[in-house]
Amino acid sequence: MKELAKLICFIFFTFLLSEVKCKTWGSFYKEIYRGPPPPSPKSNPRVVREGWIEQLVDNFDEYNNATYQMRYLANDEFYQPGGPIFIFVGGEWEITPDFVIGGHMYDMAKEMNGYLFYTEHRFYGQSRPSPDTSYEYLQYLHINQALADLAHFIRTMKQEIPGASSSGVILVGGSYSATMVTWFRQKYPELVNGAWSSSAPLLAQADFVEYFETIGQSIRTVGGDACYNAIEGAFREMERLVEDEDFETLAEKTNMCSTLENNPDNIAVFFGTAAIFIAPLVQYHRPGDIEWACATIMGQESNIEGYGEFIRQTIGVCWDADYDEAIQYYANTEWSPDISRQWLYQTCNEFGWFQTSGSPDQPFGSMFPVEMNFQICHDVFGDSYYNESINYNIYITNLNNNGLNPVITNVYSTHGQLDPWRPMGVQENVNSFASVVVIPGASHCMDLYSISPDDSPEMIASKQRTTALVRQWLMIF
């Protein structure tokens, strides 16, 4: 799996500091807050048209007439008048042509003479409603605003595309944008015929302990008990070194650039970052990923040396854990390709979804509790954010969107068995209104791609069911 290590190393190298060391915290968390990996292209990117649509900055204030330009990508190579409109909804990332020139949505559009779109979420990518991301402007970064943008987009495209006034509309989303398409169908059912929601974390919650529980379960399932136990042993050894205040040995064993400072904030950042090193391999698991990590971790004399070797091969450079640097990182309000500040705001203001060590049923110890995330929200965005207010925001999100039980029809919700974003409590449920399917052996958003000979029978069946449901919703027989 040397090729995998090189790929991960390349990804992390894009976030290096000028002193040739990795940024703390946000650099690594960017790997789990990004769009699904791109599908293999089936068409030339030149067929894709970039467009911009004028949107209100505030969709809910009739006295605010300010507007901004929202970006989208379009592919009409298969469209015939009256054909359906397929929209891949962007989340917390910059959109690229990938999902309008490849993947299962592309295949369905080709089969059904559909028009393909990929919409960009406000405040991400190049869709910028404000001069910068200062706190005063972030009030307009909210999922309800983004859903209203999407509603306006659909109404406008159906008017502007020749022959599309009566076209059916299908939404597709992955991860956060899968939550978006589910809630869109709930809020604007008259505008879409149906939605395919891949790996949606529907339940907002602060202490999202299930994330690392599922990471641990997936490692145990694929890599075996020995690998799980080796990782658990490595984190126990790290905790022992902290208790003994042997920070020099800790730094040496885990490939740090400098000795960890002995304060609770830096220690929490250290353990949270150490755990997140392995998360992308599991979240977007491909055959061989976890096996490679396990072989690396178990290939050294001790568990902590094995995990340190895994870190070295993963990022290729040393790293640091500095809380103040993390806060400074999130405090940057200039527009850049980095979306960490915007996504942090949404988690503090709406969703939580803080991946923590708040459960004993995972191998990463107990040193990065949810309180650390509450503190980060407060230190970045001010006194309006503290544990009670963040939990209240999350309560309102679930109240407004019905938590794990949205009132919906015509939504196909898929989850991978290994997916750390799969909400606990989501069970298989197939009926005539909405379907929830858990795909064995699959991870995060892994069903968005074209049917392949490498797919499991369960994966093929789910993709075929997606097509059948879309045809049913569009009344194409």
Side-chain angles (χ1 to χ4, degrees):
M1 295 304 294
K2 291 182 179 178
E3 292 79 7
L4 173 64
K6 290 178 181 177
L7 173 61
I8 299 169
C9 188
F10 170 77
I11 291 170
F12 281 123
F13 266 125
T14 63
F15 311 126
L16 298 182
L17 289 174
S18 58
E19 305 94 279
V20 195
K21 66 178 181 181
C22 289
K23 285 183 179 179
T24 63
W25 195 257
S27 300
F28 309 114
Y29 273 74
K30 283 179 66 174
E31 274 308 291
I32 61 172
Y33 300 127
R34 60 179 174 89
S40 299
K42 293 188 171 182
S43 188
N44 192 317
R46 292 181 180 178
V47 304
V48 178
R49 172 177 60 87
E50 181 182 66
W52 301 82
I53 180 173
E54 187 172 56
Q55 297 279 13
L56 290 169
V57 171
D58 190 337
N59 288 288
F60 308 110
D61 183 355
E62 61 180 318
Y63 300 106
N64 186 344
N65 296 318
T67 61
Y68 80 99
Q69 295 296 310
M70 187 187 91
R71 180 170 167 256
Y72 65 89
L73 300 174
N75 178 4
D76 63 355
E77 63 177 317
F78 308 122
Y79 177 70
Q80 294 182 11
I85 296 172
F86 288 84
I87 303 173
F88 196 96
V89 177
E92 73 280 24
W93 57 80
E94 181 172 0
I95 61 173
T96 58
D98 307 305
F99 282 98
V100 293
I101 58 171
H104 193 55
M105 184 185 80
Y106 173 90
D107 297 337
M108 290 190 292
K110 181 178 181 179
E111 181 181 319
M112 302 176 201
N113 302 313
Y115 207 122
L116 289 151
F117 285 106
Y118 195 169
T119 55
E120 194 165 74
H121 193 297
R122 56 170 53 206
F123 282 89
Y124 296 108
Q126 300 175 44
S127 299
R128 301 173 175 179
S130 58
D132 56 35
T133 61
S134 297
Y135 181 71
E136 63 183 294
Y137 300 121
L138 290 178
Q139 63 178 305
Y140 304 114
L141 174 54
H142 194 283
I143 192 170
N144 289 341
Q145 296 283 2
L147 295 181
D149 287 346
L150 184 57
H152 176 63
F153 178 86
I154 292 171
R155 295 186 185 106
T156 301
M157 292 302 120
K158 293 190 70 171
Q159 292 176 354
E160 294 183 352
I161 298 172
S165 59
S166 60
S167 292
V169 177
I170 299 296
L171 300 183
V172 180
S175 194
Y176 164 55
S177 78
T179 302
M180 291 178 64
V181 304
T182 303
W183 291 354
F184 189 92
R185 175 66 184 165
Q186 184 172 235
K187 291 178 182 293
Y188 302 94
E190 74 282 2
L191 292 181
V192 292
N193 295 66
W196 172 23
S197 164
S198 177
S199 300
L202 292 177
L203 182 68
Q205 59 186 104
D207 199 359
F208 188 25
V209 298
E210 293 87 351
Y211 184 88
F212 279 112
E213 286 180 345
T214 307
I215 292 285
Q217 292 170 10
S218 300
I219 290 170
R220 192 191 294 274
T221 298
V222 178
D225 289 343
C227 183
Y228 182 100
N229 293 338
I231 294 171
E232 186 173 46
F235 274 79
R236 285 179 177 171
E237 179 64 11
M238 294 178 204
E239 291 181 346
R240 187 190 67 78
L241 290 171
V242 168
E243 290 174 3
D244 293 344
E245 298 187 7
D246 189 355
F247 295 104
E248 291 186 5
T249 301
L250 181 68
E252 177 187 351
K253 298 290 188 182
T254 58
N255 198 41
M256 296 189 72
C257 300
S258 56
T259 302
L260 182 68
E261 292 186 14
N262 185 13
N263 67 66
D265 294 339
N266 287 351
I267 290 170
V269 168
F270 169 85
F271 281 99
T273 307
I276 217 67
F277 278 126
I278 203 167
L281 287 183
V282 180
Q283 179 167 310
Y284 291 110
H285 173 64
R286 301 282 189 178
D289 291 0
I290 294 175
E291 294 90 337
W292 168 80
C294 289
T296 303
I297 292 167
M298 294 189 294
Q300 303 298 313
E301 291 186 3
S302 69
N303 293 326
I304 190 172
E305 288 173 336
Y307 202 80
E309 180 61 24
F310 165 73
I311 293 173
R312 289 185 190 92
Q313 292 195 35
T314 297
I315 65 174
V317 293
C318 60
W319 62 290
D320 274 332
D322 187 303
Y323 180 84
D324 291 338
E325 187 178 338
I327 299 305
Q328 184 179 2
Y329 177 85
Y330 283 129
N332 181 21
T333 62
E334 296 180 0
W335 286 112
S336 75
D338 184 2
I339 56 82
S340 299
R341 175 178 170 83
Q342 296 96 294
W343 184 245
L344 176 67
Y345 176 78
Q346 285 200 268
T347 59
C348 297
N349 195 57
E350 298 181 70
F351 308 124
W353 293 333
F354 303 126
Q355 299 93 5
T356 73
S357 60
S359 166
D361 298 325
Q362 45 81 24
F364 303 104
S366 59
M367 303 292 284
F368 50 106
V370 69
E371 287 78 13
M372 176 185 67
N373 299 91
F374 292 154
Q375 182 177 333
I376 290 173
C377 292
H378 175 272
D379 290 349
V380 174
F381 298 118
D383 292 341
S384 297
Y385 294 89
Y386 50 94
N387 55 351
E388 289 87 356
S389 65
I390 294 169
N391 280 316
Y392 179 76
N393 294 345
I394 291 167
Y395 166 78
I396 293 298
T397 296
N398 288 324
L399 181 67
N400 290 339
N401 296 287
N402 298 304
L404 286 175
N405 300 290
V407 182
I408 50 174
T409 60
N410 294 8
V411 175
Y412 186 47
S413 181
T414 57
H415 297 274
Q417 178 192 20
L418 305 180
D419 180 14
W421 286 100
R422 175 168 61 92
M424 295 298 177
V426 169
Q427 303 295 330
E428 293 261 4
N429 180 24
V430 180
N431 56 53
S432 59
F433 301 106
S435 301
V436 178
V437 170
V438 179
I439 305 170
S443 192
H444 195 57
C445 298
M446 286 296 105
D447 60 333
L448 292 173
Y449 309 102
S450 298
I451 292 176
S452 163
D454 297 328
D455 287 345
S456 68
E458 296 88 350
M459 177 67 79
I460 292 174
S462 181
K463 292 177 181 178
Q464 290 174 337
R465 178 165 178 78
T466 302
T467 303
L469 285 170
V470 168
R471 284 185 166 276
Q472 176 183 318
W473 298 335
L474 295 171
M475 294 186 290
I476 299 175
F477 304 105

